């Protein structure tokens, strides 16, 4: 596993390879990330992982400050995995020329779910993914369905602009079905217990959805119930079509999407 610390070394090293799988991450490596890496290893000759906590995609300074960072531990886990050929650890200046905001604009119809609640977040994500793809020039990019809206928007942008394919990867969960996330490192036992119960409730809600005449009213009342039971803030609880992310009124081709806060940590999931 070769560590690449800047663009120049990266260009030099990657030049001979034309079957490259890319797994972009912000570190805090967990089994969710490793599943993307394993898939890349199966489908591509070489795999490159990037670790870059992209400040431009954080709409909240506190969130950026508290984001889990442990590069030593991450490298140890990645090395042990034995399926990674290259790790790219860019500095801010390697990616960006200046601190200005992203020039990428979201379409009005895409300002839903997390885009509605995290102003500027996806503009930052799309900008960094555009830049990383230009630098790395991978044949395939592996991204998790846990961040479904991110996957949807990045796929739409990159597959139009580059020859790369964005490959969706299933959400990996812990033994209690809580979706793995680097942010889970910031949760205590009791928070994780609530997350486990929320997952259970979501399964129930999804099961019952098709029996309801007015799904949006049903989800609204369920959202309020969850808020009251667990004393939590919920940004959204919505049923959306997985192909266009439009509000859906059937379970078919649809998932429920949730974003909520535990211990001031914002968690998202979909099922
Ligand atoms: P992050 O480091 O959180 O930016 O995530 C890097 C990549 O890993 C993104 O494509 C995420 O969607 C993906 N990912 C994060 N958590 C999971 C998970 N639990 N299962 C599958 N993929 C995940």
């Amino acid at each position: 596993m070769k560590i690449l610390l800047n663009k120049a070394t990266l260009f030099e090293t990657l030049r001979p390879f034309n079957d490259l799988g890319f797994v972009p991450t912000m570190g805090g490596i967990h089994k969710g990330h490793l599943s993307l890496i394993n898939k890349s290893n199966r489908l591509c000759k070489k795999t490159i992982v990037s670790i870059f906590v992209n400040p431009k995609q954080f709409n909240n300074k506190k969130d950026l400050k508290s984001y889990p960072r442990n590069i030593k531990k991450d490298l140890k886990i990645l090395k042990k995995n034995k399926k990674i050929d290259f790790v790219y650890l860019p500095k801010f200046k390697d990616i960006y020329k200046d601190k200005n905001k992203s020039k990428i604009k979201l379409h009005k119809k895409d300002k839903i779910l997390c885009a509605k609640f995290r102003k500027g977040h996806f503009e930052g994500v799309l900008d960094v993914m555009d830049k990383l793809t230009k630098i790395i020039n991978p044949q395939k990019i592996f991204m998790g369905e846990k961040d479904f809206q991110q996957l949807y928007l990045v796929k739409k942008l990159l597959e139009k602009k580059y020859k790369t394919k964005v490959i969706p990867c299933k959400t990996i969960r812990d033994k209690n079905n809580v979706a793995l996330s680097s942010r889970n490192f910031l949760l205590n036992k009791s928070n994780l217990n609530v997350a486990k119960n929320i997952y259970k409730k979501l399964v129930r809600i999804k099961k019952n959805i098709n029996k309801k005449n007015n799904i949006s009213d049903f989800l609204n009342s369920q959202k309020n119930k969850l808020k009251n039971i667990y004393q939590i803030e919920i940004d959204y609880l919505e049923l959306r079509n997985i192909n266009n992310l439009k509000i859906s009124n059937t379970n078919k081709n649809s998932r429920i999407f949730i974003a909520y806060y535990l211990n001031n940590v914002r968690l998202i999931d979909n099922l």
Side-chain angles (χ1 to χ4, degrees):
M1 186 176 92
K2 187 169 174 160
I3 295 171
L4 309 167
L5 295 173
N6 57 60
K7 253 192 309 201
T9 332
L10 181 137
F11 288 145
E12 190 61 35
T13 313
L14 295 189
R15 201 178 305 146
F17 304 110
N18 58 7
D19 186 8
L20 191 60
F22 172 37
V23 180
T25 83
M26 297 206 298
I29 299 295
H30 52 69
K31 286 186 179 152
H33 297 126
L34 295 181
S35 79
L36 272 51
I37 291 165
N38 292 343
K39 192 158 179 178
S40 170
N41 187 257
R42 283 199 305 277
L43 299 184
C44 304
K45 282 210 180 100
K46 297 280 173 192
T47 291
I48 177 165
V49 175
S50 68
I51 299 180
F52 179 58
V53 181
N54 173 32
K56 294 203 184 193
Q57 73 185 67
F58 284 81
N59 54 313
N60 176 324
K61 275 190 185 150
K62 263 195 195 157
D63 186 26
L64 173 62
K65 202 164 168 227
S66 65
Y67 198 84
R69 295 170 175 84
N70 192 336
I71 197 75
K72 256 192 178 168
K73 187 174 161 207
D74 285 347
L75 289 175
K76 210 169 151 190
I77 300 172
L78 293 178
K79 205 165 172 193
K80 212 172 141 203
N81 178 263
K82 294 200 169 114
K83 289 183 176 157
I84 300 136
D85 301 281
F86 311 105
V87 179
Y88 180 36
L89 306 175
K91 296 267 179 319
F92 183 87
K93 273 198 199 150
D94 222 28
I95 307 278
Y96 298 112
K97 282 198 203 80
D98 53 50
K99 291 206 162 132
N100 293 343
K101 276 203 179 140
S102 153
K103 287 195 181 75
I104 289 176
K105 293 263 181 296
L106 279 197
H107 208 279
K108 201 170 161 217
K109 68 175 176 8
D110 290 326
K111 291 187 179 170
I112 53 169
L113 300 170
C114 288
K116 187 169 152 193
F117 291 90
R118 299 186 69 190
K119 297 260 161 7
H121 166 63
F122 286 120
E123 289 83 345
V125 170
L126 291 172
D127 195 22
V128 79
M129 283 306 300
D130 183 24
K131 293 195 155 67
L132 285 169
T133 305
K134 205 182 239 167
I135 295 171
I136 294 173
N137 192 21
Q139 274 60 45
K140 295 188 179 71
I141 303 176
F142 296 84
M143 300 188 74
E145 290 180 349
K146 209 237 358 148
D147 303 279
F148 200 94
Q149 190 179 13
Q150 165 175 281
L151 167 69
Y152 172 85
L153 292 171
V154 169
K155 190 173 173 67
K156 214 162 53 161
L157 174 79
L158 296 186
E159 291 189 350
K160 201 156 53 172
K161 206 166 164 187
Y162 301 95
K163 271 195 177 149
T164 194
K165 279 269 330 144
V166 176
I167 314 285
C169 303
K170 292 219 159 359
T171 300
I172 305 299
R173 298 175 182 278
D174 70 9
K175 63 178 190 313
N176 294 320
N177 283 320
V178 176
L180 295 182
S181 163
S182 309
R183 287 194 166 88
N184 294 2
F185 292 121
L186 304 171
L187 302 178
N188 59 34
K189 255 193 179 169
S190 122
N191 301 146
L192 284 167
N193 200 42
V194 174
K196 163 182 142 183
N197 289 325
I198 287 179
Y199 174 84
K200 278 192 195 161
K201 296 267 186 209
L202 291 178
V203 172
R204 267 257 167 99
I205 292 172
K206 184 139 195 231
K207 247 189 190 164
N208 286 327
I209 254 173
N210 272 355
K211 294 183 212 146
K212 304 292 166 186
N213 291 330
N214 189 327
I215 290 177
S216 140
D217 277 358
F218 170 63
L219 287 175
N220 240 333
S221 77
Q222 292 300 311
K223 185 167 97 177
N224 288 329
K225 270 193 188 162
L226 291 176
K227 275 184 178 176
N228 289 331
I229 301 173
Y230 300 111
Q231 293 292 304
I232 52 169
E233 198 55 49
I234 301 180
D235 278 349
Y236 56 75
L237 176 69
E238 291 175 349
L239 183 72
R240 288 189 176 264
N241 182 291
I242 51 170
N243 299 316
N244 53 26
L245 287 187
K246 285 191 179 147
I247 288 280
S248 171
N249 44 32
T250 160
N251 257 338
K252 197 171 167 227
N253 291 329
S254 302
R255 291 188 185 201
I256 22 181
F257 291 83
I258 189 167
Y260 63 100
Y261 290 84
L262 290 179
N263 207 10
N264 291 320
V265 179
R266 190 174 189 275
L267 301 174
I268 57 172
D269 201 355
N270 65 85
L271 60 145

